[in-house]
Each structure stands twice: as structure tokens, then as C-alpha cells.
Amino acid sequence: MGQGSRVSYFYDQEVGNYTYGYDHCMKPFRIRMAHDIIASYGLDKKMTVLQPPRATAHEMTQFHTDEYIEYLRRVTPEVAEIMPSYNECFLPLLDCPPFDGVYEFCTISAGGSMAGARRINHGEADIVINWAGGLHHAKKGEASGFCYVNDIVLAILELLRYHQRIVYLDIDVHHGDGVEEAFYTTDRVMSVSFHQFGNFFPGTGDVKDVGVERGKYYAVNVPLREGIDDETYEFIFRRVMRDVMETFRPSAVVMQCGTDSLSGDRLGCFNLSMQGHAACVEFMKSFGVPLFCLGGGGYTIRNVARTWAYETAVLLGEKLDPSLPYNDYYDFFGPEYTLDVPASNMTNMNTRQQLEQLCSEIHEHLHRIPHAPSVQMQQVPRDWPGPYEGDEYEYEQDESELITQEDYWTLISRYFDEHGLVDSRNQNVASVADMVMEVVDNKGHFNKSDELVTDRTATLASSWQRMCS
């Protein structure tokens, strides 16, 4: 697999500006810290660095419900306070507060993951990295576990347009329930989750949870006990993933690299070192199939930043000096100032006998599925219109030239009313939704130019008139 120019890395410098709240465990700021270490080592010069496009509401509703995305777009802390009962339908307040800019934060995460999937689809990268992604708990119509929009599901849906079979791999300490649930009935996505199981959020992911209908045995769960160390984790990880890759033979892998499985995490109870965690990434890279690495959990932020920077180097095939170069957040990494997250002397509650039994049970499940199941040949749908055209990191959009889809609908409605084009047989302007795609410009936005709006609206009005006549 290629290195350097074949590795694409998505980063938006604004992602570190958002905060879930002072005392909340989730800190988007950790992504900025990781990027600063990456840049201080010069790794950004050895890969294609891209600014992710912002995902549109239309794109996010490929998975999520319209009502949920519309709520995220409108909610503020003040709105949530005024309408607590309505808020409870979508956001569990303690885990998923309606913080300022929550919708914009979601568009960055989802936009990067969808754009990364497109780069793999178009053969522009062998490896893609989006540390702002990996929000695996979000459900179709509600937030869960610090996750609002499930960028992973959106990325996999994009990959499925070109790839017959996808493996989703999750090494977060928490079970990847949102992604597993989304693909629980299909045989085109095999979800594999290594996680702590028992009295631990979200409480799902038993080895017996294997999928249903066509998706039966395509969900692989590896429930583990607290304190698992590098050697034990490597033993079961390699056994299970080699079996998965040989049986399912995917054409792409999406890997959620949550770092709350590291030793010393504020929420997790595993005992992996940075090298042990990164060994999983390196092992998956060795299969030579397109690999999409995403972020996820991780609540001791100095360890998160170090590990994702180190794993970026692993994906690039670069060796790094263990002494951290000076960077903007250098004081966070004292007193040792090294690129390392060591394991502790925590007791490992996982026995070799228990892990052997897990491997045996999973092996039995995998051998009940057809070897590399086929998918009927079909035409690849056209790509979603969007701002991403392969532009590099410096690309910026001129927001003054853009208006929202809702504003454009207002213009259309006003034009129809002024020209008497809406008659009693059809008062619903939304019935021309299919025609609206004709007025989307080549970047997936609606242009603000009066001349262009008038011209395109006239075209729609003409079509509307023919429908009503």
C-alpha cells in the first residue's frame, strides 16, 4: 500500500473551538492538540492535508431522520431550557448537551468522514484519516453517548456505493452500538467491536449478538473484561481479525480508533499502552485494502493527542523521535514530555481460557456465512452534490455568496405566488423537490446571485406551470 501522497488527512482548525461544557468529559480540543503534534513532527508534509467540507442537512438525512437533523440545526442551550420535554426526545442532556454550535460541530465531523469515503471511492487515497470522526453511538433519531451525528454510518453508506463488502472495526472501550444497529440486517457490512462488557455503557455487545435476517452472523462482538493488556489484546485481536478478513474479504475497512481503551483513561478500564493500541492499526494496514481511520472516545486528552499523532505516523510508515518537539500545547505533556502512553500495573481480569473460548465461538459464527458473499451487479449511483472537489487544506468557501436551501425555497414560493402559478390542484411547493436538484450549483450550494436565482426560478416555474395545466 502506498504511503505519503496516498494518505489523506482531514482537519478543520475550528473543531477545537467547540465545547460540550466545562465539566464534560468530551473535549473536541484534543483534536487540535493531536494535529499540533502531527505538524510539529512534520508529518503534515508527508500526506495530503484537506479541509473537510461541511456536511449538509440533506446529506446527514441519508441516515438520520429529518426531524432529528432539523432539531439539531435549531437547538441552542436557551431553546433546550424553554422546551425540556421536546429536548428529551432527541438529546440525553447529561451525555449530549445542546451546546452552542452543536450543529456546526456535527457538520465538520460528518463532512470529513463522507469526503474521506469519496476519496477512497475515487481511488485518490489508500488510507484516509479523520480524527474528528468516529462518533459511533449516535442513533437514527437521537443522540447517545456524546455522539450526535453518526459520521461512521454516513461514511459506510458512501463506500457501499462503490464497494461490495465493508468491514467496520471498533477498538473503542465502548461497544459500537450505533453502527452495529444501522447495519444489523445486511450482509454487506460486517461490524466487529472489541469492547468492555458487563455493567458498562452502553450495555450491548454480547458475543451472542450476531445480527438478524440477512445480517445474521455479520455482527461480531468481542466482549472483554477490565484490565486487558497489550499482549492479551493482541492475541485475540489478531486471531479474530485474521479470521474476519479471510472469510469476508472486504474491499475496504473503516476503523474507529477510540483511545478510551488506553491505560489511565478517565472513563475506560482497559490497560493498553500507546504501542499496543497502534499495533491494531498497523495490523489492519498490513492487509493492503483501503483503510479509513477515525477518532472516537478518549477522555485523558494528553494521551489521546499523543496516540493519534503516533498512529498517523504508523499509517505513514514513519518513525518518530520519542522526545516531543516543542508545540503550542507542550506544557500538557509534562513532566516527561515524551510521545508515550505506558501501561500500568492494573490487574488483567481476562484469562487465556476465556479468550480462547471467545475466539472459538466467533470462528464458529464466521464459518456459518457464505465465503465472500457476492453482490448483484448494479449501476453506481451518481455522487451526492457537495462542496468537496478534492480541494486541499487552504481551500475556503465564500459564505457571502451562499444561501440556505430554506431561503431558496422561500424565493421559489414567492415567485410562484407573484405570478399566480400555484392553483387549487396543488398548493404544496415541496412537490417540485425533484426539480430543485436542477438548481444546485457544482459545489452543492444555492447561489445568491439575483440573476442566477431569477433564471433558475423561472425554469422551475415553467415546469410547475406545465404540471398544473
Side-chain angles (χ1 to χ4, degrees):
M1 181 175 290
Q3 299 176 352
S5 63
R6 298 295 297 171
V7 177
S8 293
Y9 170 87
F10 285 88
Y11 175 70
D12 189 314
Q13 60 185 356
E14 292 187 18
V15 73
N17 295 338
Y18 299 98
T19 174
Y20 282 52
Y22 176 76
D23 56 352
H24 198 286
C25 292
M26 177 63 94
K27 307 289 185 185
F29 181 67
R30 66 206 174 126
I31 303 163
R32 181 181 289 171
M33 291 174 64
H35 177 76
D36 208 61
I37 297 176
I38 289 167
S40 68
Y41 274 112
L43 297 176
D44 55 330
K45 305 295 192 299
K46 300 176 181 179
M47 55 188 175
T48 304
V49 180
L50 304 160
Q51 177 164 324
R54 303 295 177 92
T56 65
H58 188 50
E59 287 175 324
M60 291 187 285
T61 54
Q62 290 181 70
F63 171 60
H64 294 286
T65 63
D66 294 346
E67 295 81 6
Y68 175 53
I69 295 300
E70 179 63 17
Y71 179 76
L72 285 180
R73 194 176 69 84
R74 296 178 180 274
V75 72
T76 64
E78 293 74 24
V79 168
E81 189 174 347
I82 295 170
M83 307 173 64
S85 58
Y86 192 72
N87 189 74
E88 289 171 4
C89 296
F90 301 110
L91 304 180
L93 282 178
L94 291 179
D95 283 354
C96 303
F99 61 86
D100 283 323
V102 60
Y103 180 77
E104 289 74 19
F105 174 73
C106 292
T107 64
I108 293 173
S109 171
S113 294
M114 296 185 73
R118 286 194 286 267
R119 282 190 74 81
I120 291 175
N121 283 346
H122 298 160
E124 297 169 332
D126 301 311
I127 297 172
V128 176
I129 303 167
N130 178 27
W131 296 132
L135 304 178
H136 60 169
H137 293 306
K139 306 298 174 56
K140 186 177 182 68
E142 62 179 337
S144 177
F146 313 160
C147 305
Y148 298 85
V149 168
N150 202 314
D151 63 288
I152 306 172
V153 171
L154 293 171
I156 292 174
L157 289 173
E158 186 69 29
L159 288 169
L160 287 173
R161 293 155 44 77
Y162 285 72
H163 297 267
Q164 291 186 343
R165 295 178 299 278
I166 306 293
V167 159
Y168 168 65
L169 169 59
D170 193 314
I171 60 172
D172 194 283
V173 75
H174 300 95
H175 177 232
D177 58 332
V179 183
E180 179 185 274
E181 181 181 302
F183 299 107
Y184 209 55
T185 61
T186 181
D187 60 359
R188 292 188 62 194
V189 178
M190 179 170 283
S191 62
V192 187
S193 179
F194 295 78
H195 52 271
Q196 184 174 335
F197 184 69
N199 187 23
F200 194 72
F201 181 87
T204 53
D206 191 284
V207 68
K208 294 181 174 60
D209 297 335
V210 295
V212 296
E213 299 175 1
R214 291 187 63 180
K216 190 170 184 179
Y217 302 119
Y218 290 88
V220 178
N221 284 298
V222 188
L224 302 167
R225 300 172 185 171
E226 63 183 29
I228 192 165
D229 56 26
D230 291 354
E231 181 182 357
T232 312
Y233 198 91
E234 182 179 23
F235 164 76
I236 192 166
F237 184 86
R238 286 177 173 262
R239 284 272 296 270
V240 170
M241 290 314 301
R242 187 177 290 112
D243 209 358
V244 165
M245 297 298 284
E246 290 176 355
T247 303
F248 191 60
R249 296 188 181 278
S251 56
V253 174
V254 177
M255 184 173 184
Q256 198 265 22
C257 303
T259 51
D260 46 8
S261 46
L262 291 169
S263 179
D265 189 78
R266 290 177 65 188
L267 296 185
C269 299
F270 282 179
N271 192 26
L272 298 183
S273 70
M274 182 181 74
Q275 285 78 13
H277 194 274
C280 300
V281 176
E282 189 164 22
F283 184 68
M284 296 311 299
K285 179 186 173 186
S286 70
F287 287 100
V289 301
L291 178 61
F292 194 169
C293 287
L294 300 164
Y299 309 102
T300 303
I301 61 174
R302 63 182 182 275
N303 292 346
V304 176
R306 284 189 274 214
T307 301
W308 285 345
Y310 181 76
E311 289 175 348
T312 301
V314 167
L315 292 168
L316 287 166
E318 297 288 328
K319 300 293 184 183
L320 299 181
D321 187 331
S323 296
L324 279 172
Y326 186 79
N327 58 78
D328 289 344
Y329 309 104
Y330 193 69
D331 290 341
F332 279 82
F333 306 105
E336 66 281 357
Y337 303 104
T338 58
L339 187 68
D340 187 31
V341 180
S344 71
N345 61 353
M346 183 179 185
T347 302
N348 185 356
M349 305 303 292
N350 299 269
T351 65
R352 182 56 67 99
Q353 181 181 3
Q354 170 223 344
L355 298 181
E356 289 280 7
Q357 177 60 34
L358 268 178
C359 288
S360 176
E361 195 166 346
I362 291 168
H363 180 79
E364 182 181 345
H365 292 164
L366 288 173
H367 281 263
R368 293 184 182 181
I369 68 173
H371 191 71
S374 61
V375 177
Q376 184 177 356
M377 294 294 291
Q378 54 187 314
Q379 183 178 359
V380 177
R382 67 181 179 84
D383 287 334
W384 283 90
Y388 174 67
E389 300 292 343
D391 301 323
E392 298 208 5
Y393 182 58
E394 296 79 7
Y395 173 76
E396 293 184 1
Q397 296 173 354
D398 185 0
E399 295 296 332
S400 67
E401 292 300 311
L402 305 177
I403 61 175
T404 66
Q405 186 171 354
E406 289 76 16
D407 289 339
Y408 196 82
W409 274 115
T410 300
L411 286 171
I412 294 173
S413 302
R414 186 181 305 154
Y415 187 98
F416 289 163
D417 291 340
E418 290 173 356
H419 292 79
L421 296 175
V422 181
D423 68 3
S424 60
R425 282 169 289 178
N426 196 339
Q427 294 288 338
N428 188 4
V429 174
S431 65
V432 295
D434 289 339
M435 287 184 285
V436 168
M437 296 310 298
E438 298 174 10
V439 301
V440 178
D441 67 20
N442 63 359
K443 292 185 182 295
H445 291 80
F446 296 86
N447 199 289
K448 200 173 184 178
S449 164
D450 291 340
E451 181 180 351
L452 192 57
V453 167
T454 301
D455 179 61
R456 289 175 173 174
T457 307
T459 301
L460 275 178
S462 175
S463 298
W464 174 274
Q465 195 169 32
R466 287 196 300 272
M467 289 171 57
C468 295
S469 62

